[in-house]
């Protein structure tokens, strides 16, 4: 159906609907395939009743195997190597259905893959058969070395994929550690007023007290405060340079004689008032206590 070069150097693409895969007990057999088809068809009817559509895939067939890809993104969903495919057949009762059984490389279980192709089911089955014939001829020509080489390549590709996954995980861990270090170096923000020094007020200033002398402290930016203002040596003088006036501490020679006599009279009256402490006084002339 196809030229040997097309299957050996390239691949033959087909579009189909992928019903899925399911585990089977035997690596080959018509009844084994029929059971798998019935099971996956039943699952498809349930998904259709739930509103899910059967996904479309692209098949790439070559002497190296059958690849199942997403038709839009070209992402490989399954890579079934040809030497692991043990059985391939199309459904004679339903011309749209074809299947093949492949041994999984990780679990070593036999999985049956079921596809739905409206026009190419039989052609796809024959294309896989032709790829088998060409692969077997190349095996005889190379004396089995080609198969061993493909096995080694497959093992190396699997190891490369594992290393890439491990590398991505290590990069994520390194990024998390860098973020934690950045958070650890950020200084904490003071949000609680209790963290402020008790010797400062709301504005981080030292409260003023006329009793205690002011002690110079460093500013919040670390700079020293300006030097304090020096007071004049004679603090007993007022704004105009005169002595503060206190009438009770002044001596007799501080006033003229007439003013001093008035002050003496006032002082005598003050003393008489102290001797009459407790006496009731009244401004009513008729009051007998006057």
């Amino acid at each position: 159906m196809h030229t040997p070069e097309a299957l050996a150097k390239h691949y033959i693409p087909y579009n189909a609907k992928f019903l899925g895969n399911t585990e089977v007990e035997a690596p080959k057999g018509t009844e084994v395939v029929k059971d798998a088809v019935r099971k996956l068809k039943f699952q498809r009817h349930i998904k259709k009743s739930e509103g899910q559509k059967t996904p479309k895939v692209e098949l790439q067939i070559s002497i190296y195997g059958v690849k199942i890809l997403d038709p839009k993104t070209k992402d490989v969903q399954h890579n079934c190597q040809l030497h692991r495919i043990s059985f391939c057949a199309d459904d004679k009762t339903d011309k749209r259905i074809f299947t093949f059984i492949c041994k999984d490389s990780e679990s070593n279980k036999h999985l049956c893959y079921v596809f739905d192709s409206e026009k190419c089911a039989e052609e796809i089955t024959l294309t896989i058969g032709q790829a088998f014939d060409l692969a077997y001829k190349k095996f005889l020509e190379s004396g089995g070395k080609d198969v061993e080489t493909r096995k080694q390549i497959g093992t190396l590709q699997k190891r490369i994929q594992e290393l890439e996954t491990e590398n991505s995980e290590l990069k994520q861990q390194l990024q998390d550690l860098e973020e934690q270090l950045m958070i650890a170096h950020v200084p904490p923000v003071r949000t609680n007023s209790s963290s402020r020094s008790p010797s400062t007020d709301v504005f981080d200033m030292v409260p003023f007290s006329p009793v205690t002398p002011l002690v110079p402290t460093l500013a919040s930016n670390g700079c020293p405060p300006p030097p304090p203002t020096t007071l004049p040596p004679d603090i007993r003088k007022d704004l105009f340079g005169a002595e503060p006036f206190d009438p009770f501490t002044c001596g007799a020679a501080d006033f003229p004689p007439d003013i001093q006599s008035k002050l003496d009279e006032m002082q005598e009256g003050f003393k008489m008032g102290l001797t009459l402490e407790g006496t009731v006084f009244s401004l009513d002339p008729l009051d007998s206590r006057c």
Side-chain angles (χ1 to χ4, degrees):
M1 295 183 59
H2 306 283
T3 60
E5 291 78 10
L7 287 169
K9 297 181 180 180
H10 303 283
Y11 58 85
I12 307 299
Y14 290 99
N15 292 323
K17 293 181 179 179
F18 185 34
L19 274 69
N21 57 11
T22 182
E23 183 181 357
V24 292
E25 297 179 356
K28 59 183 178 180
T30 305
E31 295 298 326
V32 175
V33 169
K34 286 183 179 179
D35 292 339
V37 170
R38 282 194 294 266
K39 180 180 179 180
L40 292 175
K41 277 186 175 181
F42 179 73
Q43 292 180 2
R44 183 179 66 171
H45 288 309
I46 295 177
K47 291 180 180 180
K48 277 188 175 181
S49 63
E50 295 175 352
Q52 300 182 18
K53 295 182 179 180
T54 304
K56 295 181 180 180
V57 295
E58 178 182 336
L59 299 176
Q60 294 181 357
I61 303 173
S62 67
I63 62 172
Y64 302 105
V66 179
K67 289 184 179 181
I68 305 171
L69 299 89
D70 185 282
K72 295 181 179 179
T73 63
K74 302 300 180 181
D75 293 335
V76 179
Q77 299 177 358
H78 302 278
N79 185 11
C80 303
Q81 298 178 357
L82 201 66
H83 67 275
R84 292 185 174 274
I85 297 176
S86 56
F87 189 78
C88 180
D90 58 301
D91 193 348
K92 300 304 179 182
T93 59
D94 191 347
K95 298 295 183 179
R96 301 181 307 175
I97 302 298
F98 70 96
T99 65
F100 63 83
I101 298 176
C102 180
K103 188 177 182 180
D104 187 66
S105 59
E106 296 182 358
S107 62
N108 288 328
K109 296 180 180 179
H110 291 91
L111 302 177
C112 182
Y113 292 79
V114 181
F115 301 89
D116 184 346
S117 178
E118 186 175 355
K119 299 179 180 179
C120 302
E122 185 178 1
E123 181 180 344
I124 294 173
T125 305
L126 294 176
T127 301
I128 296 176
Q130 184 181 358
F132 266 106
D133 292 338
L134 291 175
Y136 184 67
K137 289 180 181 179
K138 290 181 68 66
F139 172 74
L140 295 178
E141 292 173 359
S142 62
K145 295 180 180 180
D146 192 21
V147 176
E148 294 297 329
T149 303
R150 287 203 301 269
K151 287 182 179 180
Q152 292 178 2
I153 292 175
T155 304
L156 291 175
Q157 289 177 348
K158 182 179 178 181
R159 180 57 180 166
I160 290 172
Q161 186 176 2
E162 292 176 354
L163 291 174
E164 289 178 350
T165 304
E166 184 179 355
N167 188 24
S168 61
E169 293 177 355
L170 291 175
K171 285 183 178 180
Q172 184 63 36
Q173 292 179 4
L174 181 60
Q175 185 178 359
D176 295 341
L177 289 175
E178 290 178 352
E179 293 177 355
Q180 292 178 5
L181 289 175
M182 291 177 62
I183 294 174
H185 282 81
V186 175
V189 181
R190 294 189 303 172
T191 57
N192 191 2
S193 60
S194 62
S195 61
R196 189 171 53 249
S197 175
S199 61
T200 58
D201 59 6
V202 180
F203 303 99
D204 288 339
M205 299 179 66
V206 177
F208 173 74
S209 175
V211 179
T212 58
L214 293 176
V215 179
T217 58
L218 292 177
S220 59
N221 57 1
C223 298
T229 306
T230 57
L231 297 176
D234 191 2
I235 61 173
R236 295 292 299 169
K237 294 182 179 181
D238 59 7
L239 184 61
F240 302 98
E243 294 286 341
F245 174 73
D246 189 356
F248 296 98
T249 60
C250 296
D254 293 336
F255 299 98
D258 52 347
I259 297 177
Q260 185 64 40
S261 62
K262 293 292 184 180
L263 289 174
D264 294 340
E265 292 178 1
M266 291 173 62
Q267 189 174 5
E268 291 295 332
F270 179 71
K271 292 179 179 180
M272 292 177 63
L274 291 177
T275 58
L276 296 176
E277 183 181 1
T279 307
V280 178
F281 294 90
S282 176
L283 297 177
D284 189 358
L286 299 179
D287 193 347
S288 59
R289 295 177 298 174
C290 209

